[in-house]
Amino acid sequence: MARGVNQKLKILYLMKIFLERTDETHSLTMPQILAALESYGIRAERKSIYSDLESLRVFGLDIIGEQQDRTYRYHVGSRRFELAELKLLVDSVQSAKFITAKKTKELIKKIGELASRHEAAQLQRQVYVAERVKTINESIYYNVDKLHAAINSNVRITFQYFQWNVRKEMVFRRNGELYEASPWALSWDDENYYLIAFEHRERTIKHFRVDKMLHIELTGDRREGSEQFRRFDMAVYARKTFGMYRGEENIVSLECDNSLVGVVIDRFGKDVPISPVNDNCFLTHVKVAVSRQFLGWIIALGEGVRITGPDTVVRQMREEIERLRRQYGE
């Protein structure tokens, strides 16, 4: 690029230099600022830099100038994202199973560009991606984009849905037949992305793992299921569905040790009813989809919790215990 063109971009390069090279613990002197501009082919005088810095302040960039050891130094103060917030974003990207390892590294690099070079180095030291369980479906980002487009456009979608076999091969469900559904919401549960939709063949609300959806197409036909979703509460659905496994809904009574009150509130929310039984335990009633995953959650809590009703669910638990006894022997 010609030197004259660069001169016209001086204030933009100045902003770039400050955002990339300074933060609350790293600053630049005026000679360093001039040298940095020179590296981009831009010559400038001190007086013009003072004027440009004031323009950037008016624009909203928090440039702070202060004297340190007889030298005046400048740095960017507050930013749109604090370092602690960027670390939270990095942690979220790392822990999300539905984001591939390749995309995880790309996203973390982009998040680092929101900080100075020095702070970005701290973010990179947090990266532990290689050994995490990650999806291999690179198209998931485009899937999510298509699903949002379908929801915003109020149209149906078609797609193929797969599962894995013991040879680690993709096997289409329904022998590759297209699913047709009306998408209504996306939910992140148990580190996976799910589509909540009205499935046309079974005429009911169902959820689908987004990373297991292939060849998503928008049909142009208007969505169905508006009546069902008018009464649908995503938070309640996620709370009562364990691991997004479906089961028959029921109100289940649980007698729990007092030490588990935090576990119950974490799972079912602060509005869950709690009635003291004695000094050591309490009774609660929760609406759940009774699946093997729910029963496994109860078993994992050990002696501290017991299902007391209804009889049908108590019977299911006894059958599950008997199944485990048969599976693992006496």
Short mmCIF file of all heavy atoms in Angstrom, two decimals, residues 234-277:
data_model
loop_
_atom_site.label_atom_id
_atom_site.label_comp_id
_atom_site.label_asym_id
_atom_site.label_seq_id
_atom_site.Cartn_x
_atom_site.Cartn_y
_atom_site.Cartn_z
N MET A 234 -39.35 -23.77 28.02
CA MET A 234 -38.05 -24.41 27.80
C MET A 234 -37.34 -24.73 29.11
O MET A 234 -36.73 -25.80 29.27
CB MET A 234 -37.18 -23.51 26.93
CG MET A 234 -35.77 -24.04 26.71
SD MET A 234 -35.73 -25.59 25.79
CE MET A 234 -36.14 -24.98 24.16
N ALA A 235 -37.39 -23.81 30.07
CA ALA A 235 -36.70 -24.02 31.34
C ALA A 235 -37.27 -25.23 32.07
O ALA A 235 -36.54 -26.06 32.62
CB ALA A 235 -36.80 -22.77 32.21
N VAL A 236 -38.59 -25.33 32.07
CA VAL A 236 -39.25 -26.47 32.73
C VAL A 236 -38.92 -27.77 32.01
O VAL A 236 -38.64 -28.80 32.63
CB VAL A 236 -40.77 -26.25 32.79
CG1 VAL A 236 -41.48 -27.51 33.30
CG2 VAL A 236 -41.11 -25.06 33.67
N TYR A 237 -38.92 -27.73 30.67
CA TYR A 237 -38.62 -28.91 29.87
C TYR A 237 -37.22 -29.44 30.18
O TYR A 237 -37.02 -30.64 30.38
CB TYR A 237 -38.72 -28.54 28.38
CG TYR A 237 -38.52 -29.70 27.42
CD1 TYR A 237 -39.54 -30.60 27.15
CD2 TYR A 237 -37.31 -29.86 26.76
CE1 TYR A 237 -39.36 -31.64 26.26
CE2 TYR A 237 -37.11 -30.90 25.87
CZ TYR A 237 -38.15 -31.79 25.62
OH TYR A 237 -37.96 -32.82 24.74
N ALA A 238 -36.23 -28.53 30.24
CA ALA A 238 -34.85 -28.94 30.51
C ALA A 238 -34.70 -29.47 31.93
O ALA A 238 -33.94 -30.41 32.18
CB ALA A 238 -33.91 -27.77 30.28
N ARG A 239 -35.47 -28.89 32.87
CA ARG A 239 -35.35 -29.28 34.27
C ARG A 239 -35.89 -30.68 34.52
O ARG A 239 -35.35 -31.44 35.32
CB ARG A 239 -36.09 -28.26 35.14
CG ARG A 239 -35.84 -28.41 36.62
CD ARG A 239 -36.26 -27.19 37.39
NE ARG A 239 -37.69 -26.91 37.26
CZ ARG A 239 -38.20 -25.75 36.88
NH1 ARG A 239 -37.41 -24.76 36.55
NH2 ARG A 239 -39.51 -25.57 36.81
N LYS A 240 -36.95 -31.03 33.82
CA LYS A 240 -37.58 -32.32 34.10
C LYS A 240 -37.07 -33.45 33.19
O LYS A 240 -37.40 -34.61 33.41
CB LYS A 240 -39.11 -32.21 33.95
CG LYS A 240 -39.58 -31.98 32.53
CD LYS A 240 -41.08 -31.71 32.49
CE LYS A 240 -41.58 -31.48 31.07
NZ LYS A 240 -42.99 -31.09 31.02
N THR A 241 -36.28 -33.10 32.16
CA THR A 241 -35.78 -34.10 31.23
C THR A 241 -34.31 -34.37 31.52
O THR A 241 -33.47 -33.51 31.28
CB THR A 241 -35.94 -33.62 29.77
OG1 THR A 241 -37.29 -33.18 29.58
CG2 THR A 241 -35.63 -34.73 28.79
N PHE A 242 -34.00 -35.53 32.03
CA PHE A 242 -32.63 -35.84 32.44
C PHE A 242 -31.80 -36.27 31.25
O PHE A 242 -32.11 -37.26 30.58
CB PHE A 242 -32.63 -36.95 33.51
CG PHE A 242 -32.98 -36.43 34.87
CD1 PHE A 242 -34.27 -36.00 35.18
CD2 PHE A 242 -32.01 -36.34 35.85
CE1 PHE A 242 -34.58 -35.51 36.43
CE2 PHE A 242 -32.30 -35.84 37.11
CZ PHE A 242 -33.59 -35.44 37.41
N GLY A 243 -30.70 -35.50 30.99
CA GLY A 243 -29.84 -35.84 29.87
C GLY A 243 -30.56 -35.81 28.54
O GLY A 243 -30.13 -36.44 27.59
N MET A 244 -31.67 -35.07 28.48
CA MET A 244 -32.50 -34.96 27.26
C MET A 244 -33.03 -36.33 26.81
O MET A 244 -33.26 -36.56 25.63
CB MET A 244 -31.73 -34.27 26.14
CG MET A 244 -31.32 -32.84 26.45
SD MET A 244 -32.71 -31.74 26.86
CE MET A 244 -33.32 -31.31 25.23
N TYR A 245 -33.22 -37.25 27.77
CA TYR A 245 -33.85 -38.53 27.48
C TYR A 245 -35.33 -38.44 27.83
O TYR A 245 -35.70 -37.99 28.91
CB TYR A 245 -33.19 -39.67 28.27
CG TYR A 245 -31.87 -40.10 27.72
CD1 TYR A 245 -30.69 -39.50 28.15
CD2 TYR A 245 -31.80 -41.11 26.76
CE1 TYR A 245 -29.46 -39.89 27.64
CE2 TYR A 245 -30.56 -41.51 26.25
CZ TYR A 245 -29.41 -40.90 26.70
OH TYR A 245 -28.19 -41.29 26.19
N ARG A 246 -36.15 -38.88 26.92
CA ARG A 246 -37.58 -38.77 27.13
C ARG A 246 -38.10 -39.90 28.02
O ARG A 246 -37.52 -40.96 28.13
CB ARG A 246 -38.32 -38.81 25.78
CG ARG A 246 -37.93 -37.68 24.84
CD ARG A 246 -38.69 -37.76 23.55
NE ARG A 246 -40.09 -37.44 23.74
CZ ARG A 246 -41.04 -37.63 22.82
NH1 ARG A 246 -40.73 -38.16 21.66
NH2 ARG A 246 -42.29 -37.31 23.06
N GLY A 247 -39.22 -39.64 28.65
CA GLY A 247 -39.88 -40.62 29.49
C GLY A 247 -41.27 -40.10 29.82
O GLY A 247 -41.60 -38.94 29.54
N GLU A 248 -42.08 -40.95 30.43
CA GLU A 248 -43.43 -40.53 30.79
C GLU A 248 -43.38 -39.55 31.96
O GLU A 248 -42.75 -39.80 32.98
CB GLU A 248 -44.27 -41.75 31.17
CG GLU A 248 -45.73 -41.41 31.46
CD GLU A 248 -46.56 -42.64 31.78
OE1 GLU A 248 -46.07 -43.76 31.52
OE2 GLU A 248 -47.68 -42.47 32.28
N GLU A 249 -44.02 -38.41 31.78
CA GLU A 249 -44.01 -37.39 32.83
C GLU A 249 -44.84 -37.83 34.03
O GLU A 249 -45.90 -38.42 33.88
CB GLU A 249 -44.53 -36.06 32.30
CG GLU A 249 -43.57 -35.36 31.37
CD GLU A 249 -44.05 -33.97 31.01
OE1 GLU A 249 -44.91 -33.42 31.73
OE2 GLU A 249 -43.59 -33.44 29.98
N ASN A 250 -44.31 -37.53 35.21
CA ASN A 250 -45.01 -37.88 36.43
C ASN A 250 -44.54 -36.95 37.55
O ASN A 250 -43.44 -36.40 37.49
CB ASN A 250 -44.71 -39.34 36.82
CG ASN A 250 -45.95 -40.04 37.34
OD1 ASN A 250 -46.74 -39.44 38.07
ND2 ASN A 250 -46.10 -41.30 36.98
N ILE A 251 -45.38 -36.76 38.55
CA ILE A 251 -44.97 -36.02 39.74
C ILE A 251 -44.46 -37.04 40.74
O ILE A 251 -45.22 -37.90 41.21
CB ILE A 251 -46.14 -35.21 40.32
CG1 ILE A 251 -46.57 -34.14 39.32
CG2 ILE A 251 -45.72 -34.56 41.64
CD1 ILE A 251 -47.77 -33.33 39.77
N VAL A 252 -43.17 -36.96 41.04
CA VAL A 252 -42.50 -37.97 41.86
C VAL A 252 -42.19 -37.38 43.24
O VAL A 252 -41.72 -36.25 43.36
CB VAL A 252 -41.19 -38.43 41.19
CG1 VAL A 252 -40.47 -39.47 42.06
CG2 VAL A 252 -41.50 -39.02 39.81
N SER A 253 -42.49 -38.15 44.26
CA SER A 253 -42.20 -37.75 45.64
C SER A 253 -40.86 -38.33 46.06
O SER A 253 -40.61 -39.52 45.88
CB SER A 253 -43.29 -38.25 46.59
OG SER A 253 -44.55 -37.69 46.23
N LEU A 254 -39.99 -37.47 46.61
CA LEU A 254 -38.67 -37.89 47.04
C LEU A 254 -38.46 -37.53 48.50
O LEU A 254 -38.73 -36.40 48.92
CB LEU A 254 -37.59 -37.18 46.21
CG LEU A 254 -37.63 -37.33 44.69
CD1 LEU A 254 -36.56 -36.47 44.04
CD2 LEU A 254 -37.46 -38.79 44.29
N GLU A 255 -38.01 -38.50 49.27
CA GLU A 255 -37.62 -38.24 50.65
C GLU A 255 -36.10 -38.15 50.69
O GLU A 255 -35.42 -39.10 50.33
CB GLU A 255 -38.12 -39.36 51.58
CG GLU A 255 -37.91 -39.06 53.05
CD GLU A 255 -38.51 -40.13 53.94
OE1 GLU A 255 -39.76 -40.26 53.95
OE2 GLU A 255 -37.73 -40.84 54.61
N CYS A 256 -35.58 -37.00 51.10
CA CYS A 256 -34.15 -36.73 50.98
C CYS A 256 -33.53 -36.35 52.31
O CYS A 256 -34.17 -35.71 53.16
CB CYS A 256 -33.91 -35.58 49.99
SG CYS A 256 -34.71 -35.77 48.39
N ASP A 257 -32.26 -36.70 52.44
CA ASP A 257 -31.48 -36.25 53.59
C ASP A 257 -31.27 -34.75 53.47
O ASP A 257 -31.13 -34.21 52.37
CB ASP A 257 -30.13 -36.97 53.60
CG ASP A 257 -29.33 -36.66 54.85
OD1 ASP A 257 -29.50 -37.38 55.84
OD2 ASP A 257 -28.55 -35.68 54.81
N ASN A 258 -31.26 -34.06 54.60
CA ASN A 258 -31.11 -32.61 54.59
C ASN A 258 -29.84 -32.15 53.88
O ASN A 258 -29.79 -31.04 53.34
CB ASN A 258 -31.11 -32.06 56.02
CG ASN A 258 -32.51 -32.06 56.63
OD1 ASN A 258 -33.51 -32.19 55.92
ND2 ASN A 258 -32.57 -31.92 57.95
N SER A 259 -28.82 -32.98 53.87
CA SER A 259 -27.56 -32.60 53.22
C SER A 259 -27.71 -32.47 51.71
O SER A 259 -26.84 -31.89 51.04
CB SER A 259 -26.48 -33.64 53.54
OG SER A 259 -26.82 -34.91 53.01
N LEU A 260 -28.82 -32.99 51.15
CA LEU A 260 -29.02 -32.97 49.70
C LEU A 260 -29.93 -31.84 49.24
O LEU A 260 -30.28 -31.77 48.07
CB LEU A 260 -29.60 -34.31 49.22
CG LEU A 260 -28.68 -35.52 49.36
CD1 LEU A 260 -29.40 -36.79 48.94
CD2 LEU A 260 -27.41 -35.32 48.53
N VAL A 261 -30.29 -30.92 50.14
CA VAL A 261 -31.19 -29.84 49.73
C VAL A 261 -30.56 -29.00 48.62
O VAL A 261 -31.25 -28.55 47.69
CB VAL A 261 -31.59 -28.97 50.96
CG1 VAL A 261 -30.39 -28.23 51.52
CG2 VAL A 261 -32.70 -28.01 50.58
N GLY A 262 -29.25 -28.78 48.68
CA GLY A 262 -28.58 -28.01 47.64
C GLY A 262 -28.63 -28.71 46.29
O GLY A 262 -28.82 -28.08 45.24
N VAL A 263 -28.46 -30.04 46.31
CA VAL A 263 -28.53 -30.83 45.07
C VAL A 263 -29.91 -30.71 44.44
O VAL A 263 -30.05 -30.54 43.22
CB VAL A 263 -28.19 -32.31 45.37
CG1 VAL A 263 -28.39 -33.17 44.12
CG2 VAL A 263 -26.76 -32.43 45.87
N VAL A 264 -30.95 -30.79 45.27
CA VAL A 264 -32.33 -30.72 44.78
C VAL A 264 -32.62 -29.33 44.20
O VAL A 264 -33.21 -29.21 43.11
CB VAL A 264 -33.32 -31.06 45.91
CG1 VAL A 264 -34.76 -30.77 45.47
CG2 VAL A 264 -33.17 -32.52 46.32
N ILE A 265 -32.18 -28.28 44.90
CA ILE A 265 -32.42 -26.92 44.40
C ILE A 265 -31.64 -26.67 43.11
O ILE A 265 -32.16 -26.06 42.17
CB ILE A 265 -32.05 -25.89 45.49
CG1 ILE A 265 -33.06 -25.96 46.63
CG2 ILE A 265 -32.00 -24.48 44.91
CD1 ILE A 265 -32.72 -25.07 47.82
N ASP A 266 -30.40 -27.16 43.04
CA ASP A 266 -29.60 -26.98 41.83
C ASP A 266 -30.27 -27.64 40.63
O ASP A 266 -30.23 -27.12 39.51
CB ASP A 266 -28.20 -27.59 42.01
CG ASP A 266 -27.31 -26.74 42.92
OD1 ASP A 266 -27.68 -25.57 43.15
OD2 ASP A 266 -26.28 -27.25 43.38
N ARG A 267 -30.91 -28.78 40.86
CA ARG A 267 -31.52 -29.53 39.76
C ARG A 267 -32.89 -28.99 39.37
O ARG A 267 -33.20 -28.82 38.20
CB ARG A 267 -31.64 -31.00 40.15
CG ARG A 267 -32.34 -31.88 39.12
CD ARG A 267 -31.50 -32.05 37.87
NE ARG A 267 -32.31 -32.05 36.66
CZ ARG A 267 -31.89 -32.40 35.45
NH1 ARG A 267 -30.64 -32.78 35.30
NH2 ARG A 267 -32.66 -32.34 34.40
N PHE A 268 -33.73 -28.69 40.37
CA PHE A 268 -35.13 -28.36 40.09
C PHE A 268 -35.50 -26.89 40.32
O PHE A 268 -36.63 -26.50 40.08
CB PHE A 268 -36.05 -29.26 40.94
CG PHE A 268 -35.87 -30.73 40.68
CD1 PHE A 268 -35.18 -31.53 41.59
CD2 PHE A 268 -36.36 -31.31 39.52
CE1 PHE A 268 -35.00 -32.88 41.34
CE2 PHE A 268 -36.18 -32.66 39.27
CZ PHE A 268 -35.50 -33.45 40.18
N GLY A 269 -34.55 -26.10 40.81
CA GLY A 269 -34.82 -24.68 41.00
C GLY A 269 -35.24 -24.34 42.42
O GLY A 269 -35.67 -25.20 43.20
N LYS A 270 -35.15 -23.06 42.74
CA LYS A 270 -35.41 -22.61 44.10
C LYS A 270 -36.88 -22.70 44.48
O LYS A 270 -37.24 -22.67 45.66
CB LYS A 270 -34.91 -21.18 44.27
CG LYS A 270 -34.66 -20.78 45.71
CD LYS A 270 -33.96 -19.44 45.81
CE LYS A 270 -33.70 -19.07 47.26
NZ LYS A 270 -33.01 -17.77 47.39
N ASP A 271 -37.77 -22.81 43.49
CA ASP A 271 -39.21 -22.88 43.77
C ASP A 271 -39.67 -24.29 44.11
O ASP A 271 -40.87 -24.50 44.35
CB ASP A 271 -40.01 -22.35 42.57
CG ASP A 271 -39.79 -20.86 42.35
OD1 ASP A 271 -39.49 -20.17 43.34
OD2 ASP A 271 -39.91 -20.40 41.20
N VAL A 272 -38.77 -25.27 44.09
CA VAL A 272 -39.15 -26.64 44.39
C VAL A 272 -39.73 -26.71 45.81
O VAL A 272 -39.19 -26.12 46.74
CB VAL A 272 -37.94 -27.59 44.24
CG1 VAL A 272 -36.86 -27.28 45.26
CG2 VAL A 272 -38.37 -29.04 44.33
N PRO A 273 -40.87 -27.42 46.00
CA PRO A 273 -41.46 -27.49 47.34
C PRO A 273 -40.63 -28.39 48.26
O PRO A 273 -40.22 -29.48 47.87
CB PRO A 273 -42.84 -28.11 47.08
CG PRO A 273 -42.67 -28.89 45.82
CD PRO A 273 -41.68 -28.12 44.99
N ILE A 274 -40.39 -27.92 49.47
CA ILE A 274 -39.62 -28.68 50.46
C ILE A 274 -40.37 -28.68 51.78
O ILE A 274 -40.67 -27.62 52.32
CB ILE A 274 -38.21 -28.08 50.64
CG1 ILE A 274 -37.38 -28.30 49.37
CG2 ILE A 274 -37.51 -28.70 51.85
CD1 ILE A 274 -36.00 -27.69 49.41
N SER A 275 -40.69 -29.89 52.27
CA SER A 275 -41.42 -30.03 53.54
C SER A 275 -40.60 -30.88 54.50
O SER A 275 -40.27 -32.03 54.17
CB SER A 275 -42.78 -30.69 53.31
OG SER A 275 -43.53 -29.98 52.34
N PRO A 276 -40.25 -30.36 55.67
CA PRO A 276 -39.49 -31.15 56.64
C PRO A 276 -40.27 -32.39 57.08
O PRO A 276 -41.47 -32.31 57.35
CB PRO A 276 -39.28 -30.19 57.81
CG PRO A 276 -39.47 -28.82 57.22
CD PRO A 276 -40.50 -28.99 56.15
N VAL A 277 -39.60 -33.54 57.13
CA VAL A 277 -40.20 -34.76 57.64
C VAL A 277 -39.81 -34.93 59.11
O VAL A 277 -40.65 -35.24 59.95
CB VAL A 277 -39.74 -35.99 56.82
CG1 VAL A 277 -40.26 -37.28 57.44
CG2 VAL A 277 -40.20 -35.86 55.38
#
